[in-house]
Amino acid sequence: MNTGALLVSVVIPAFNASATIDETLRSVRSQSHRELEIIVVDDGSTDNTVAVVQLHTAQDSRITIIEQRNAGVAAARNAGWQAAGADFVAFIDADDLWTPRKIEQQLQALLDAGERTGLVYSWYDWIDADSRVSARSDPVFHAGEVLDYLCQGNFIGNGSSALVRREALIAAKGFESGLRASGAEGCEDLLFYCRVAEAYHFAVVPKYQIGYRYLPNNMSSNKTRMFRSWMLVADEIMTRHPERTALLDLGLRNYARWLLRRALTGGQLWYFASIFGLLFKRNPLLALRVAAHDVPRDTVSEIRWKWRHQRRRAVRPSASLFAIGDPTQSL
């Protein structure tokens, strides 16, 4: 099949993203797969996000803007994919980046995997404010039926990785905006992936194709809210899959130890105390096991890794893997 002729809709939720959305749009517009419908959903921004996007719409007819009152990232993504015209939909946050062949290679992988496969993902790099790679995700190869793996942890890792069949989006009922209403926004990605995995297989492109930007003020930096969000996701999946309770408890342990370690190494003792309190209230024995065993061991390992990584960067600073040319040259 000539995949180059297939339309792919790209949905970009944006809230006060004027500092980063120009680079994100250039990343999307530079994709080797040209048949794109690019939908930016402005979620009630109070900065110049819309003005920046309009500069791109003047150059690229593939881009449209939907403006709505602030309702959260899940509602913005839903508004985007529901307005999309393609049978394949990709999502990217307004501060993240893609390598140029991300859509092309994911679309081919999704089609090769067959109609029962509803979602394809790739690996990701953590990038800083200057789009330089600061760390790499672990390479994972989970494909086919993946719900058991998702119960143990969000191996996809972010909301900018997935290319999804529209029918899978419909079956999953899109993204859950109720997490925001519960004061637990943050794990909409994980819940969506779990819902898709209940009915569809996954495929993977084993390449680093996403630049996931981690900044002090983005959503995932609020560790307490992220942990509350994760617990709500676990509770929903547990109601439909009680046989996976042990896997979900393992996932809760894995996520708690990761958050607690990062809070400790980052000197964020208030987050450490808050997350430990939530975990202790839910499962006292698990909380004590994580705090007394997992976190000390993990913290020592992270400190050693950071020391080695900083030494390597001092010798050879990391360059960006997401260098973007002028997208208008290939329009």
Side-chain angles (χ1 to χ4, degrees), residues 49-67:
T49 295
V50 171
V52 174
V53 177
Q54 287 172 339
L55 294 176
H56 285 266
T57 62
Q59 300 173 4
D60 195 333
S61 61
R62 298 175 300 174
I63 304 173
T64 59
I65 307 175
I66 296 174
E67 296 184 55

Side-chain angles (χ1 to χ4, degrees), residues 73-116:
V73 64
R77 287 177 182 154
N78 289 337
W81 76 261
Q82 288 166 359
D87 291 330
F88 305 95
V89 183
F91 298 90
I92 180 170
D93 290 343
D95 56 354
D96 292 343
L97 303 175
W98 287 341
T99 55
R101 298 186 65 197
K102 189 263 190 189
I103 292 295
E104 174 193 347
Q105 293 177 336
Q106 283 193 337
L107 183 59
Q108 188 64 61
L110 188 62
L111 295 173
D112 289 346
E115 293 184 358
R116 196 179 174 194

Side-chain angles (χ1 to χ4, degrees), residues 81-313:
W81 76 261
Q82 288 166 359
D87 291 330
F88 305 95
V89 183
F91 298 90
I92 180 170
D93 290 343
D95 56 354
D96 292 343
L97 303 175
W98 287 341
T99 55
R101 298 186 65 197
K102 189 263 190 189
I103 292 295
E104 174 193 347
Q105 293 177 336
Q106 283 193 337
L107 183 59
Q108 188 64 61
L110 188 62
L111 295 173
D112 289 346
E115 293 184 358
R116 196 179 174 194
T117 299
L119 183 150
V120 59
Y121 67 96
S122 306
W123 303 338
Y124 65 96
D125 288 303
W126 297 70
I127 58 175
D128 60 19
D130 297 318
S131 303
R132 291 182 177 272
V133 175
S134 57
R136 305 207 99 167
S137 64
D138 293 331
V140 292
F141 298 88
H142 303 318
E145 296 183 0
V146 301
L147 183 57
D148 284 354
Y149 297 112
L150 285 168
C151 289
Q152 299 171 65
N154 184 2
F155 59 83
I156 296 177
N158 59 83
S160 299
S161 178
L163 174 68
V164 192
R165 290 185 188 270
R166 186 180 187 86
E167 63 188 58
L169 272 161
I170 295 172
K173 299 180 180 178
F175 292 85
E176 179 55 68
S177 59
L179 291 177
R180 175 184 168 97
S182 300
E185 194 174 17
C187 288
E188 290 83 357
D189 306 338
L190 174 61
L191 181 54
F192 171 70
Y193 299 148
C194 287
R195 289 177 176 179
V196 173
E198 288 177 306
Y200 288 88
H201 286 178
F202 283 27
V204 57
V205 173
K207 296 178 182 292
Y208 288 94
Q209 295 188 316
I210 294 90
Y212 172 52
R213 200 182 305 271
Y214 186 83
L215 300 174
N217 61 343
N218 64 9
M219 184 188 301
S220 56
S221 64
N222 188 324
K223 297 176 178 62
T224 303
R225 184 174 61 195
M226 292 294 293
F227 191 59
R228 285 199 302 266
S229 188
W230 187 287
M231 289 193 294
L232 289 179
V233 171
D235 289 341
E236 177 184 312
I237 301 303
M238 198 176 299
T239 60
R240 291 196 297 275
H241 302 277
E243 75 281 2
R244 289 183 165 90
T245 297
L247 292 175
L248 289 163
D249 284 345
L250 178 58
L252 190 69
R253 177 179 181 176
N254 290 338
Y255 195 50
R257 65 191 289 183
W258 185 81
L259 288 172
L260 289 169
R261 183 188 76 228
R262 292 190 67 85
L264 191 61
T265 57
Q268 299 171 317
L269 298 184
W270 61 94
Y271 275 139
F272 188 97
S274 177
I275 294 164
F276 178 80
L278 289 172
L279 184 60
F280 188 86
K281 184 177 180 180
R282 184 183 180 99
N283 189 326
L285 290 178
L286 179 59
L288 293 173
R289 188 180 303 121
V290 169
H293 178 265
D294 296 339
V295 173
R297 183 184 62 183
D298 294 348
T299 300
V300 171
S301 296
E302 178 162 334
I303 291 172
R304 287 174 175 170
W305 178 88
K306 285 184 175 180
W307 181 75
R308 290 195 298 267
H309 184 67
Q310 288 170 354
R311 286 190 65 188
R312 286 197 297 268
R313 291 193 67 182

Side-chain angles (χ1 to χ4, degrees), residues 38-49:
I38 304 169
I39 302 172
V40 178
V41 182
D42 181 73
D43 190 35
S45 295
T46 57
D47 65 358
N48 293 326
T49 295

